[in-house]
Amino acid sequence: MGRRGTMRRGTVGRGTMRRGTVGRGTVRRSAGPPGPRPPDGSAEDVHWAGERRTAAGTAVLLLSVLLVLDTGSGRLTVPRALLWTGLGALLYVILLPPRITARPGVLSARGLWRTHTVRTDALVSVRCSDGVARRLVLRDADGGRVELDPGVLVRNPALWHRLDADSRAARERGTLLCGATALGRLAARIDREAARTVFKVSGLA
């Protein structure tokens, strides 16, 4: 009986240790951040990969339709196939948006051929250009210029917070003299989108 009693107590002790281990793991998870965050404060357009796939899929679809039509009509030749391939590649280039990334003090827009960079902690102007497609134009004290779709910042809060923090630093340094109105309108739009998202998630909208 003494041995069985000892074994039972040992089993209970081990069970207690396991529960303690799970408890400690739970505390660590709840105390940690809600998701992975880059240690250097960088941010990027998390939707860019999906937009790239959409652009590629649209270009391939157009190319396939043109080739099928030519094949069905008996007009498909090598020059025409090359022409349709070039047309599909051109559509891909047009549809593919630049990849927007940011790190403390710097924002970059990388296209297929070039990468434009602007120092967000030394901005001199921020303005919105109205037209067929609205664009946010950023200029810095070194002559750097980046043009991007404001919707990218609306869809990526991390990018917006990075730009907002750096633009505040530029205002404190006295370099940003033109852009408060554009940034204020963009901040209001982002707040509206965030509130709309909260309402949708909560079922109030």
Side-chain angles (χ1 to χ4, degrees), residues 64-79:
S64 301
V65 170
L66 293 174
L67 292 178
V68 168
L69 290 177
D70 265 9
T71 301
S73 62
R75 295 184 300 174
L76 182 62
T77 60
V78 173

Side-chain angles (χ1 to χ4, degrees), residues 188-203:
R189 177 184 174 187
I190 292 174
D191 289 341
R192 288 194 302 269
E193 292 295 332
R196 187 177 294 112
T197 300
V198 171
F199 287 144
K200 287 182 179 179
V201 171
S202 60

